[in-house]
Amino acid sequence: MVKDILPMILVVLVFQYLILRRPLANPLKVTLGFVMVLFGLYAFVLGLKLGLFPVGALMAEQLINRGMNSLILLFAFMIGFATTMAEPALIAIGNQAEEAAKGKLKGSVIRLIVALGVAIGITVGVYRIISGDSIHYYIMAGYALVVILTAFAPKYIIALAFDLGGVTTSEVTVPLVTALGIGLASAIEGRNVLIDGFGLIAFASIFPIITVMLYAIAVEHFSQLRSAAA
């Protein structure tokens, strides 16, 4: 953790003292903050190794042993929705978008739409692992749909939709979803862990973009209908 954080500390110190040529406003508080970050990251990584990774792999193995693909897909959908709703980065960007949109968007609705997109994406990715299909066609079809929707979506939602596709795959979602994919690939006979076990995060990034754009298109369409009726 010290080696990982050291470059960030050096960048801050170099810019502050050599380029800006000003001392830190509160060196003691900043030092204490970096120490807390250090221990926080260490606890987070340790928690992943002890908790989330084993749980994801164990759940995948147990579901495969039950032999019920529908149950596996249901679990993938629910875990994708639940982990996304808990993402702190999504909560933050949802609140900022609500403030910037001035009545056009609601942070809570954005979280639900994005969580739905992640849930659908992970479900599609898990289906690909179960079926053994190539990831190429799924990814190309997903991004082709994104490009098409970009041409029809309102301008105010496009940049936000692409950002939301990135923030969904953060501290909570990535560890559990990655463990789920690797666990499934390890438990299903004939699957390669490196080829089939990864890729769920890509699906979790594409589908929120799609659902957010579809939501914005639907909202604009119904708004125009109400205006025309009035």
Side-chain angles (χ1 to χ4, degrees), residues 133-173:
D133 295 335
S134 174
I135 193 174
H136 303 78
Y137 303 109
Y138 289 83
I139 295 296
M140 287 188 293
Y143 276 110
L145 183 56
V146 168
V147 171
I148 293 173
L149 290 175
T150 302
F152 295 96
K155 290 184 178 181
Y156 70 83
I157 203 67
I158 295 175
L160 176 62
F162 279 92
D163 280 350
L164 289 170
V167 300
T168 55
T169 52
S170 189
E171 294 88 353
V172 181
T173 306

Side-chain angles (χ1 to χ4, degrees), residues 170-194:
S170 189
E171 294 88 353
V172 181
T173 306
V174 171
L176 194 55
V177 170
T178 303
L180 175 64
I182 294 174
L184 285 173
S186 302
I188 300 176
E189 186 177 355
R191 300 293 180 269
N192 183 290
V193 176
L194 188 60

